[in-house]
């Protein structure tokens, strides 16, 4: 959450690395629009590359453009780091700001002025940019050694003193500002990553890459005047770019990207997009499957289609609560649409509290504002809405909702809210994580026309392979008034009847003839010798049915 | 020419500074017979003379300017204007309050709307000469369920707006801090729990800090709710096995229940936990509190029930047992002061005043975690005649829960969710020696809209006589160290 308020800004300024964290939080809110986020990162990486090249070019006395490609190395490294969604854009912005001050340092020709500049800027950089500040110290020392040269003995002494003074900045600031963080967290900058940095090796590499890329060019010979300069430059291009691209691809966790895509669509209620994604490739992790099942339920095809996709049990339907900031967000969506408003509220609140860097989530806050509104807790809802009205992307929605907060008629005009209010429990009980089927059953008893709850209850039984209870609860759907019994229910019913003493002879007429025939074929194939040798083919033949899940999916 | 330009700009800036600090004069006012809708509600409250300014704003009205004239005795006054809220200058505020002890200040509030001034009906604020403690110590934590984010124990100076962290859980990653307690508001005796991987209980007596493992083989859990003996030689704790459950209906959220609980007393000198069979039964004993003379231990007790189905039947009575501090022994009889069978309700947080006259407690429909009960209210028990009553003037339609007495027993602070039903805020009220209570006032903040954006609840407010001195480095090193003292249970 990024707020356009003074107090929000001052809060960032009150801690080291706060300003760059503020800037990165500001820019990261644009990730909401995927192309905008990509463009921001791309532009900043290009800016970093330009800065590295500009400094290197100056240090080499405006020669050695041969090594222009080396200036891409830090950008590739940071790009790779940013493929981890827990690494903040902060790390890139900090590098840019540090190099900006290095560029200023290079402009100062008088040594005394550079000393004073260094003395003030280094601790200042710690305050605005955090733990990476010592890279500025390192680069400036290297500039003195390799660019200005002609250092006297006293100059080394002065450099040493300045180094000691400025690198003790975290300790001094920590003491003055009474910062309550372990000292090592202040060194590695508390806000470069969502998680406290235990092993800073990766960050260290990306930071050291900056002075490396700048100063290595001093040591390398000029190649433009050589006969084979084109070959050498081409080789450099191939090495750097292929290594860089490989690093980015290797750093990307495509599985996580998929989960994030499913979650993004679920959060924005783009059910068709979810199904489209699943049709390209079955999701196989619980969170993606959860989103898919939600989409199938919302588009009214759950009973006919859920087992056409990979299912991994009830965790892919209603994930168990985890004390993290990922699972509760996804599960919270499901509970919201089911009408378990308090549970959705709890999951969103908990997910927000679980964010490791203690930042707040607009997504959670929006849902909390909505649920509190539906729960008639108007004061709490108003509190969240007022905060959201100070954000960029939720401002209009928040302002509109604030305008109708005390207007039940206007609230009921929102069809989704109106439906959810109808589903609200009137008789209290305590939610049981271990008895989700009971929870669904109680919800259905309260509101027998809640189609989604009914389908989730049926799905729960089917995923648990509990045909007995499936058969027992199946009649609860009479208020749903299906035009046709969903095909998976028919498959489950026929399977249930087949294992009763009466066998297949007692199958009622409500089962469609094609399903009946397919089941008979299934039974024959299952007991044939061919099954034992061509199991995969057999599974593929029946992969679109519940029977495949029942018998073959572990 | 250049110098002239500079001077011109300087003069312009000076005039700008002067006139921008000037108040707008109110020539004509339209008086209305309505009290101003100020927030926080400070109308007719009683405050100590040392309290920070009661800055406020106006709600539910559009306005361009607020004007407040505060009038005291002998025509002394304070006149302030503000665009969105009122901020009284601290020095002038304090001077006015000190000149009007045991008297009242009249507030005349006007707002400018569409160029016209509307003046509301004046109201009073009463200044009581009874002093109040230096400050408050409380935990700030989000009003969540099981997961916690950033939290900390903070100290607030009541005479200004300064709040500083005593310890935050960012110091020890992943830790939970809770149950800070002092001996009759004296922070020289401090107890604090740290939960998590390096969990322990910190006891700090004067400058001596030690970490303790409080879970023993003979107790069901680590020590939980603390209460110091006035001598500083004992600390009463409850030991609790607690579960949380979550309601599905809209008016409820969380239910916190004890599956089991007992009471123990820690003998500081011998490092022993002592108890009696009367406090370690199958029933649920909790919330111990020593009397100011240290010879009585008050506590709550309830019959154990099936938590899934009968949690609404768990109702705590208020009881007491005698205690001999010279030998560290309990009496052999429990007396009931407030019976759950008679009231049909449940008592929590019994806390006697330090002058020995009263005992305040929270009463709710059932259970003991009253912060999640909207019906929870504060009650006052008269220790001299055994009667008790609801403190109607401080109770609201929403939760009133944890409370603490000031050192002179003339003020008390309590937690309330009256603002929005979820985020706990602190209120302070005056009580005289006869038990007459004044309208409470909300803990003042520099900006009146501070609470609008504040996403933390104030938890376990405790008065403190002086500023807390806690060496963070020592605290951290000792918590992270394996050298923690194991409390022993005396069988």
């Amino acid at each position: 959450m990024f707020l356009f308020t003074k107090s929000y800004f001052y809060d960032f300024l009150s801690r080291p690395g706060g300003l760059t964290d503020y800037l990165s939080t500001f820019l990261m809110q644009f990730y909401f629009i995927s192309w905008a986020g990509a463009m921001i990162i791309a532009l900043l990486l290009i800016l970093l590359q330009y800065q590295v090249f500009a400094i290197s070019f100056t240090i080499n006395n405006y020669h050695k453009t041969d090594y222009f490609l080396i200036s891409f190395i830090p950008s590739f490294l940071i790009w790779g780091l940013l493929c981890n969604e827990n690494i903040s854009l902060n790390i890139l912005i900090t590098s840019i700001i540090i190099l900006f001050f290095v560029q200023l340092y290079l402009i100062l020709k008088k040594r005394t002025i550079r000393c004073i500049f260094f003395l003030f800027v280094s601790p200042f950089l710690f305050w605005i940019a955090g733990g990476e500040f010592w890279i500025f110290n390192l680069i400036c020392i290297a500039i003195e050694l390799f660019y200005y040269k002609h250092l006297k003995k006293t100059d080394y002494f002065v450099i040493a003193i300045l180094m000691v003074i400025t690198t003790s900045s975290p300790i001094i600031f920590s003491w003055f500002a009474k910062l309550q963080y372990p000292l090592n967290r202040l060194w590695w900058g508390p806000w470069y990553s969502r998680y406290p940095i235990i092993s800073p090796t990766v960050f260290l590499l990306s930071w050291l890459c900056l002075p490396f890329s700048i100063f290595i060019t001093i040591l390398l010979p000029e190649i433009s005047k050589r006969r084979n300069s084109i070959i050498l430059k081409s080789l450099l291009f191939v090495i750097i770019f292929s290594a860089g691209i490989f690093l980015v691809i290797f750093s990307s966790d495509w599985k996580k990207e998929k989960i994030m895509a499913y979650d993004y669509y679920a959060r924005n209620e783009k059910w068709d997009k979810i199904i489209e994604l699943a049709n390209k490739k079955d999701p196989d992790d619980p969170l993606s499957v959860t989103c898919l099942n939600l989409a199938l339920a919302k588009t009214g095809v759950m009973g006919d289609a859920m087992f056409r996709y990979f299912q991994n049990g009830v965790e892919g339907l209603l994930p168990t609560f985890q004390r993290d900031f990922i699972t509760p967000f996804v599960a919270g969506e499901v509970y919201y649409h089911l009408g378990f408003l308090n549970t959705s509220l709890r999951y969103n609140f908990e997910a927000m509290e679980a964010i490791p860097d203690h930042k707040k989530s607009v997504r959670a806050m929006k849902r909390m504002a909505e649920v509190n509104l539906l729960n008639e807790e108007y004061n709490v809802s108003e509190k969240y809405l007022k905060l959201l009205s100070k954000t960029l992307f939720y401002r209009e929605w928040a302002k509109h909702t604030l305008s109708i907060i005390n207007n039940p008629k206007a609230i009921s005009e929102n069809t989704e809210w109106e439906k959810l209010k109808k589903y609200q429990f009137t008789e209290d009980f305590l939610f049981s994580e271990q008895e989700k089927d009971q929870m669904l059953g109680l919800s259905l008893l309260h509101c027998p026309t809640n189609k989604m709850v009914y389908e989730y209850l049926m799905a729960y039984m089917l995923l648990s392979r509990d045909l007995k209870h499936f058969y027992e609860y199946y009649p609860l759907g009479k208020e749903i008034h299906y035009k046709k019994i969903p095909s998976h229910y028919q498959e489950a019913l026929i399977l249930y009847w087949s294992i009763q003493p009466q066998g297949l002879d007692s199958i009622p007429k409500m089962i469609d003839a094609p399903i009946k025939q397919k089941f008979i074929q299934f039974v024959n194939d299952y007991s044939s010798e061919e099954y034992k040798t061509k199991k995969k083919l057999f599974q593929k033949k029946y992969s679109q049915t519940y029977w495949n899940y029942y018998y073959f999916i572990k | 020419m250049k110098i002239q330009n500079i001077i011109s700009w300087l003069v312009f800036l000076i005039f700008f500074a002067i006139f921008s600090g000037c108040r707008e004069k109110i020539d004509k006012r339209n008086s209305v017979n309505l009290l101003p809708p100020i927030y926080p509600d400070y109308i007719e409250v009683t405050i100590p003379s040392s309290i920070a300014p009661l800055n406020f704003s106006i709600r539910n009205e559009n306005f361009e300017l607020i004007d407040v004239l505060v009038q005291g005795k002998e025509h002394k006054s304070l006149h302030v204007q503000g665009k969105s809220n009122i901020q009284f200058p601290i020095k002038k505020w304090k001077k006015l309050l000190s000149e009007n002890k045991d008297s009242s200040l009249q507030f005349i509030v006007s707002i400018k709307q569409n160029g016209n001034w509307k003046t509301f009906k004046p109201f009073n604020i009463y200044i009581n000469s009874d002093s109040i403690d230096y400050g408050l110590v409380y935990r700030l934590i989000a009003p969540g369920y099981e997961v916690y984010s950033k939290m900390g124990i903070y100290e607030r100076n009541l005479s200004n707006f300064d709040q500083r962290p005593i310890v935050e859980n960012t110091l020890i990653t992943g830790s939970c801090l809770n149950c800070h307690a002092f001996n009759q508001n004296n922070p020289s005796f401090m107890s604090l729990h740290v939960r998590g991987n390096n969990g322990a209980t910190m006891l700090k007596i004067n400058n001596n800090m030690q970490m303790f493992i409080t879970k023993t083989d003979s107790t069901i859990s680590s020590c939980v709710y603390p209460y110091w003996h006035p001598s500083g030689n004992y600390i009463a704790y409850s030991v609790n096995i607690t579960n949380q459950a979550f309601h599905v209906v809209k008016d409820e959220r969380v239910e916190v229940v004890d599956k089991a609980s007992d009471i123990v007393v820690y003998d500081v000198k011998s490092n022993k936990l002592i108890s009696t069979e009367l406090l370690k039964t199958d029933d649920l004993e909790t919330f111990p509190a020593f009397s100011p003379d240290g010879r009585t231990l008050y506590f709550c007790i309830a019959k154990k029930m099936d938590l899934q189905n009968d949690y609404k039947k768990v109702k705590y009575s208020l009881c007491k047992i005698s205690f001999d501090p010279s030998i560290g022994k309990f009496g052999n009889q429990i007396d009931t002061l407030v019976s759950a069978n008679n009231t049909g309700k449940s008592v929590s947080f019994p806390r006697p005043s330090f002058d020995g006259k009263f005992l305040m407690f929270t009463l709710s429909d059932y259970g003991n975690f009253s912060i999640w009960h909207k019906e929870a209210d504060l009650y006052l028990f008269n220790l001299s005649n055994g009667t008790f009553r609801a403190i109607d003037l401080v109770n609201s339609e929403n939760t009133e829960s944890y409370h603490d007495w000031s050192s002179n027993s003339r003020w008390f602070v309590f937690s309330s969710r009256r603002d929005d039903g979820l985020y706990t805020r602190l209120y302070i009220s005056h009580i005289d020696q006869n038990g007459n209570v004044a309208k409470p006032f909300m803990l003042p903040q520099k900006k009146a809209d501070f609470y609008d954006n504040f996403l933390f609840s104030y938890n376990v407010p405790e008065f403190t006589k002086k500023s807390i001195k806690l060496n963070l480095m020592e605290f951290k090193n000792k918590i992270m160290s394996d050298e923690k003292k194991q409390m022993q249970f005396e069988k």
Side-chain angles (χ1 to χ4, degrees), chain B residues 368-478:
Chain B
N368 67 34
F369 216 77
S370 46
I371 197 65
W372 286 110
H373 285 242
K374 288 188 179 191
E375 79 285 358
D377 282 332
L378 292 181
Y379 278 68
L380 193 68
F381 188 96
N382 188 324
L383 287 168
S384 58
N385 62 23
T387 60
F388 63 93
R389 62 177 174 86
I391 316 177
D392 293 327
L393 203 52
V394 307
N395 291 327
S396 71
E397 295 291 312
N398 224 303
T399 310
E400 275 71 42
S401 181
Y402 193 91
H403 45 89
D404 186 40
W405 294 89
S406 69
S407 304
N408 58 7
S409 304
R410 294 281 75 83
W411 301 91
F412 61 94
V413 61
F414 63 95
S415 312
S416 177
R417 286 188 167 181
R418 64 187 64 191
D419 254 47
D420 56 29
L422 181 63
Y423 289 87
T424 313
R425 303 293 177 235
L426 299 182
Y427 285 77
I428 299 171
S429 183
H430 182 263
I431 178 169
D432 69 16
Q433 51 215 9
N434 300 317
N436 298 312
V437 173
K439 182 178 172 183
F441 64 94
M442 193 187 211
L443 181 68
Q445 301 290 347
K446 192 170 184 182
K447 283 192 149 181
D449 63 354
F450 168 83
Y451 293 112
D452 289 351
N453 303 323
F454 197 55
L455 293 173
F456 288 91
S457 277
Y458 291 80
N459 191 229
V460 187
E462 296 267 338
F463 281 109
T464 177
K465 288 177 180 171
K466 55 188 179 183
S467 183
I468 312 288
K469 293 207 181 337
L470 186 76
N471 185 322
L472 271 183
M473 198 60 74
E474 186 189 359
F475 175 82
K476 188 185 163 236
N477 289 340
K478 286 188 172 176

Side-chain angles (χ1 to χ4, degrees), chain B residues 1 45 100 124 257 272 313 375 381 420 438:
Chain B
M1 274 304 283
V45 297
N100 286 276
N124 294 320
V257 293
K272 287 216 167 84
K313 293 180 184 170
E375 79 285 358
F381 188 96
D420 56 29

Side-chain angles (χ1 to χ4, degrees), chain B residues 134-279:
Chain B
Y134 160 82
L136 285 173
V137 175
Y138 42 74
R139 181 170 69 158
L140 290 177
I141 184 170
Y145 303 81
E146 294 172 297
V147 180
Y148 50 85
S149 181
K150 185 175 176 183
M151 72 168 81
I153 310 293
Y154 298 83
E155 173 190 296
R156 163 70 191 266
N157 186 332
L158 283 173
S159 64
N160 55 38
F161 302 113
D162 290 348
Q163 175 186 280
R164 68 175 187 93
I166 296 170
V167 58
E168 294 177 310
N169 70 342
T170 45
L171 188 67
I172 305 150
T173 309
S175 62
C176 173
L177 308 162
N178 55 48
C179 295
H180 51 280
F182 313 110
N183 182 5
Q184 293 194 351
N185 305 338
N186 181 359
S188 299
F189 297 81
M190 181 175 175
S191 170
L192 173 68
H193 297 319
V194 180
R195 306 278 189 229
N197 287 338
N198 298 292
T201 292
M202 179 204 80
L203 291 186
K204 185 173 163 299
I205 299 173
N206 296 312
N207 292 323
N208 182 22
M209 184 195 296
Q210 261 196 307
M211 302 296 173
F212 291 87
I213 304 295
T214 61
K215 172 77 176 73
T216 72
D217 292 337
S218 304
T219 48
I220 57 174
S221 77
S222 300
C223 294
V224 182
Y225 302 119
Y227 198 98
W228 283 86
H229 189 271
S231 66
N233 294 327
Y234 300 97
I235 310 170
Y237 286 108
S238 63
V239 286
N240 311 64
I241 298 177
T242 305
N243 265 49
Q244 277 202 93
F246 310 107
H247 295 271
V248 294
V249 288
K250 63 181 183 184
D251 297 321
E252 310 275 0
R253 283 192 196 216
V254 184
E255 202 57 59
V256 180
V257 293
D258 281 343
K259 279 169 74 172
S261 62
D262 296 315
I263 287 172
V264 295
V265 170
Y266 176 63
D267 183 335
V268 173
K269 287 179 179 164
S270 66
N271 186 38
K272 287 216 167 84
L273 289 169
I274 55 177
S275 190
T276 164
E277 288 307 312
L278 294 174
L279 297 176

Side-chain angles (χ1 to χ4, degrees), chain A residues 77-294:
Chain A
L77 257 179
I78 292 180
W79 184 3
L81 270 179
L82 290 175
C83 289
N84 179 339
E85 76 282 4
N86 293 312
I87 305 292
S88 165
L89 193 61
N90 203 350
I91 195 169
L92 177 51
I93 292 174
T94 305
S95 301
I96 289 170
I97 287 177
I98 283 173
L99 291 187
F100 168 73
F101 280 95
V102 169
Q103 286 175 291
L104 286 181
Y105 186 83
L106 271 173
I107 294 170
L108 305 169
K109 297 301 172 200
K110 283 197 173 174
R111 187 171 286 144
T112 317
I113 295 174
R114 288 201 304 276
C115 265
I116 296 168
F117 181 82
F118 182 88
L119 190 62
F120 281 100
V121 166
S122 181
F124 172 71
L125 269 179
F126 171 70
W127 197 255
I128 65 165
E132 198 184 333
F133 84 108
W134 60 272
I135 293 292
F136 170 80
N137 299 355
L138 198 63
I139 295 176
C140 291
I141 304 275
I143 287 172
E144 294 300 323
L145 289 172
F146 297 111
Y147 179 59
Y148 288 108
K149 300 173 187 171
H150 308 299
L151 290 175
K152 301 171 205 167
K153 278 183 188 170
T154 48
D155 290 329
Y156 288 105
F157 180 70
V158 167
I159 288 169
I161 297 284
L162 289 173
M163 280 293 291
V164 167
I165 292 170
T166 51
T167 49
S168 56
S169 294
I171 301 167
I172 296 168
F173 274 112
S174 163
W175 187 75
F176 266 115
K178 311 255 185 278
L179 297 171
Q180 298 211 15
Y181 287 93
L183 206 56
N184 61 337
R185 279 196 76 188
L186 291 176
W187 273 106
W188 304 119
W191 291 278
Y192 297 137
S193 165
R194 273 208 191 105
Y195 292 94
I197 298 167
I198 311 294
S199 169
T201 313
V202 163
F203 290 90
L204 204 52
L205 272 171
S206 75
W207 294 345
L208 286 172
C209 197
L210 290 173
F212 170 80
S213 305
I214 291 167
F215 292 98
I216 190 69
T217 51
I218 293 175
L219 301 172
L220 296 171
E222 275 197 68
I223 55 174
S224 52
K225 289 172 184 166
R226 288 189 176 192
R227 269 190 313 168
N228 56 356
S229 64
I230 292 172
I231 297 170
L232 289 170
K233 284 182 188 176
S234 305
L235 206 60
L236 200 60
F237 173 83
V238 165
I239 292 170
I240 290 174
F241 272 74
S242 54
I245 289 165
F246 173 76
L247 174 70
V248 169
I249 293 170
F250 178 75
S251 305
S252 305
D253 187 333
W254 300 108
K255 198 165 180 180
K256 268 194 200 171
E257 296 289 333
K258 265 282 150 62
I259 295 172
M260 285 191 270
Y262 275 103
D263 177 54
Y264 174 79
Y265 289 137
R267 169 187 169 189
N268 291 291
E269 300 188 14
K270 294 192 187 304
W271 314 119
D272 291 335
K273 287 279 188 189
I274 291 175
I275 296 170
E276 201 180 297
L277 208 59
N279 286 338
K280 284 180 189 162
K281 186 175 185 281
D282 271 20
D284 56 9
D285 63 277
L287 292 180
S288 303
V289 174
T290 300
C291 294
L292 172 62
N293 283 329
L294 179 59

Side-chain angles (χ1 to χ4, degrees), chain B residues 345-368:
Chain B
K345 294 203 184 269
S346 189
V347 175
S348 53
F349 303 124
R351 311 198 101 204
S353 61
F354 299 124
D355 60 6
K357 290 188 174 181
F358 302 105
L359 183 143
M360 197 174 294
F361 59 89
T362 303
L363 203 65
S364 53
D365 284 351
Y366 61 89
N368 67 34

